[in-house]
Amino acid sequence: MSKQYETVIGLEVHVELATKTKIFCGCSTAFGGAPNTHTCPVCTGMPGSLPVLNKQVLEYAVAVGLATNCTITQNCKFDRKNYFYPDNPTAYQISQLYFPVCRNGYVEVPSGDGTKKIRIHEIHMEEDAGKLVHDEWDDCTLVDFNRKGVPLIEIVSEPDMRNADEVIAYLEKLRMTIQYLGASDCKLQEGSMRADVNLSVREAGSTAFGTRTEMKNLNSFKAIARAIERERKRQIELLEEGRKVIQETRRWDDNKEYSYAMRSKEDAQDYRYFPEPDLVPIRISDEYIAAIRARQPELRDAKMARYISQYQLPEYDAEILTGTKKLADLFEATVKLGSAPKEVSNWLMGDTMKLLKEAEKEPEDISFSPENLSKLIGLIADGKINRPTAKAVFEKVFAQDIDPEKYVEEQGLGMVNDTDALKKTIREIVDANPQSVADYKAGKTKAMGFLVGQTMKAMKGKADPGMVNRILTEILNE
Amino acid sequence: MDLMSLTALELGRKIKAKEVSVLEAARAALDAVKSREETLHAFVTVDEEGALAQAEQIQKKIDAGELSGPLAGVPVAVKDVMCTEGLRTTCSSKMLENFVPVYTAEAVINLQKAGAVVIGKTNMDEFAMGSTTETSAFGATKNPYDAGRVPGGSSGGSAAAVAGREVPYALGSDTGDSIRQPSAYCGVTGLKPTYGTVSRYGLIAYASSLDQIGPMTRDVSDCAAVLEAIASYDPKDSTSVKREDYDFTSALTDDAAGTRIGIPRDYMGEGLDPEVKAAIYAAAKELERKGAVVEEFDLGLVKYAIPAYYVIACAEASSNLARFDGVKYGYRAEEFEGLHDMYKKTRSQGFGPEVKRRIMLGSFVLSSGYYDAYYVKALKVKALIKRAFDEAFKRYDCILGPVAPATAPELGKSLRDPLKMYLSDIYTISVNLAGLPGISLPCGMDKAGLPIGMQLIGDAFQEKKIIRTAYAYECSRGAFPAPKMI
């Protein structure tokens, strides 16, 4: 490669909003119902049916816009995007072209040693399409309209990103922000967050943009990073060979780590956008915006800073805990119940993460309650169980959300606090292991560990190792 | 006694007084339909079984005291553009020849709540596109006053059914002239309400921003009573308006004193048939005699209304009718290769020429590069027309003018020259663009014995003013003569 190239990337991110009902009718948005069971005349495009905007969609869109420093379009409108496809029963998608709900925002993402502003061109509201299912048996295609009308926002960035790291940082930032707002769970694998990557390359120092391609079907951050690297190379190779990049949409195949052209600009359809006459323009008042702003929850950056200052957590802990809303919520709820912050943090970052990893699960999948974690921590603090026992009990809490107090009681896992009984056991152990006692007295501290271990074994683990240590030392030094 | 010669309110009173049973009224309508359909062909579907079953139900409710409204038990015909659950709804198109809706249009539900018995679905121009009912895929409807002439359109079936005494009243829909013009051609009274007054939920859309459902009746009193029954605020229709007042019948007072009436000079000039012109001026004189203050004025912008209308209406239609693609319901071509061929063949075979013409026109004006020059400009014209009316209504309570340039044309003469047909909408189309109410009622006959219609246009939400003025005129005019075929 003789020349230096710069990669220019912009993203179009679709996010499925977490409303209970669809954007233009009262049907459920629940995932996984039997085909065409979450449908009505509106979302199946029956003649004469009319859309009515779900106000929660607007509220989420405005909340995301405010959290990403956008200007809210106070006179916003819906438009129709016309195209024929069987997953689209009205043959138009209700979307926003001329007056999208949010414009001119930005987010700050970590880049290199500092931070970088990624500008947001616009955020618009639209409806999702249905799903085509190919029936191999009958060799025909069937349509499931359950997903048709599920609300989406599309977040369109400016071409401000220069490498995969910035792209991932931007997506993480969006995901975190939107999760914190409760507007979506933003799961790439399940498609509730989808990113299309627009990428071009240009000679370093050039200010003009190169010809871009749009990459679709990117289902994980890893796939996005791989696709960016591969597409960057492909475009540079073309240019080096004296050929041109063709403006086209490409589909990424993550198994083959290869993309192929879906359609070129020449095949691009004319969507014949025009204002949706079945919906009235939306007038968004200053009061409405102020009310949503007032309801905005604490977002990630603020929360992280607060964890460090208020709970004296190390930055590392604060970063991990605030990395998903689920962990942060769990952390705060447990602390609120009176548990020590650092102790809660340790359980979440240590055992919880380890068990999640073993089960190949995400923090969102955590099913235990803050109450039971708090009780467990309480049992340790009160000296009722020791750490090894606590770890075993926590596995039960993690798996089945059991009440640790009851469990410890029922299973008889509580520590023996009867000093006389403990002394008696220790004496027996000492008497039975004269060699170890001799070793200890000869200065071999290892022998001490052995004796403690024997005592714990005899006590079936239900003794406080500290207390065992203390009594053992007393007896040995008698 | 021919029950179907009674007005809806007259028949309603007889049913209430138990002089006539609901079943007798329904049978009378079905008999009238049987004897006159061969001549008129006003219906696409007659629902004899359903009508008789409804009649029995409604009689029970009346007897139990659950239904006591003025329309309880009275038969009605519904334009075949409104969805009726379980009863096929075709829009007079091959595309929907066998389409049976899964739900009923809100306006029809409102009528059913008022105790109406739906006799059947009336013929229309295909997807309400046309002014003669000749673009119907199921054959033309004939004018009861002269079976060699068209009934007008697109609600020609509803107009002919009411004028031909098959039913006392019917529902129509009006996008450019489709209630008022056939009402004028068939000597009936039709009202297009202010946009947003009657729910469009279940009305199969032609041009969403212009469509309104309205009554087509024998006289002004029926018109007010039916409007009262069908108008409602409907949360299912985002363009539905919550009005302060749904009482229209209280405007039925024979009083024109002090009513300020403007006649647009632009409506009375070139192109207007002299007999129609004379009838409008005579009606104006009559209202003046009753104390109205009548003067002529320049409305302006009239010549821009038709191009603006056809750009907006066709643009919306091109999108609204895209859902008829052979995938989910309605017609699908029998032979095709692949998805796109299925779309093309289905739509080529399923739609008639006038519908295709408007879809093509609409697709063109929305195309990239033309959108601003046509669609955006048409929206600007629409806004200017609304402003011109706003100015006029500062000075007048009602605007009086003709409905159509001439009386009903002969069958087979209009479709050859679509542009000429489009131009015949000139007096009615601005009313839709401005979203205003307009009423059409008969004001005389021409030498050929064909009805002439006059139009009263009101400011937005001022239906009462045009109903009152129309009623005052009607009180002087007297009952309008029935067609000779009756």
Side-chain angles (χ1 to χ4, degrees), chain A residues 7-65:
Chain A
T7 314
V8 176
I9 306 165
L11 293 193
E12 291 166 25
V13 178
H14 283 91
V15 175
E16 220 174 78
L17 297 179
T19 55
K20 290 198 174 64
T21 56
K22 293 184 179 181
I23 183 167
F24 297 124
C25 63
C27 292
S28 165
T29 54
F31 184 76
N36 295 306
T37 50
H38 300 162
T39 57
C40 73
V42 177
C43 58
T44 51
M46 285 292 164
S49 64
L50 296 169
V52 176
L53 177 64
N54 177 346
K55 291 198 174 76
Q56 184 65 49
V57 173
L58 179 69
E59 198 170 318
Y60 280 148
V62 170
V64 174

Side-chain angles (χ1 to χ4, degrees), chain A residues 443-464:
Chain A
K444 290 185 184 167
T445 44
K446 246 182 161 180
M448 179 75 177
F450 173 77
L451 291 170
V452 171
Q454 289 299 304
T455 311
M456 290 305 284
K457 199 172 163 190
M459 295 298 293
K460 298 194 176 87
K462 291 188 284 183
D464 176 359

Side-chain angles (χ1 to χ4, degrees), chain B residues 1-29 55-56 58-60 62-63 70-75 115 117 168:
Chain B
M1 181 180 52
D2 177 10
L3 290 178
M4 289 305 109
S5 285
L6 299 172
T7 68
L9 290 176
E10 285 166 354
L11 182 56
R13 279 193 288 272
K14 285 194 186 296
I15 289 169
K16 204 170 185 175
K18 312 263 183 223
E19 290 169 39
V20 175
S21 74
V22 180
L23 208 56
E24 281 166 348
R27 285 223 168 91
E56 262 181 66
I58 286 163
Q59 184 69 62
K60 273 184 201 154
I62 293 173
D63 293 344
L71 297 172
V74 180
V117 175

Side-chain angles (χ1 to χ4, degrees), chain A residues 42 44-52 80 82 84-86 89-92 98 270 272-275 277-280, chain B residues 83 99 103 200-204 208 235-238 319-320 322-323 328-329 339 343 347 363 366-368 371 375:
Chain A
V42 177
T44 51
M46 285 292 164
S49 64
L50 296 169
V52 176
R80 286 190 191 172
N82 295 286
F84 286 97
Y85 203 63
T90 46
Y92 54 81
Y98 297 108
D270 182 351
R272 306 191 316 277
Y273 279 97
F274 76 107
D278 287 330
L279 290 166
V280 288
Chain B
C83 288
F99 174 66
Y103 73 102
R200 293 187 298 112
Y201 194 80
L203 170 70
I204 299 179
S208 314
K236 296 191 295 304
D237 174 0
S238 306
S319 174
N320 284 333
R323 70 184 63 197
K328 310 160 292 284
Y329 45 71
L339 180 65
Y343 283 148
R347 290 170 63 81
S363 303
L366 290 179
S367 300
S368 152
Y371 177 78
Y375 190 76

Side-chain angles (χ1 to χ4, degrees), chain A residues 409-424:
Chain A
E409 171 101 29
E410 283 163 11
Q411 304 287 318
L413 297 176
M415 279 195 287
V416 176
N417 289 321
D418 183 342
T419 322
D420 291 342
L422 193 56
K423 269 186 184 158
K424 189 170 166 269

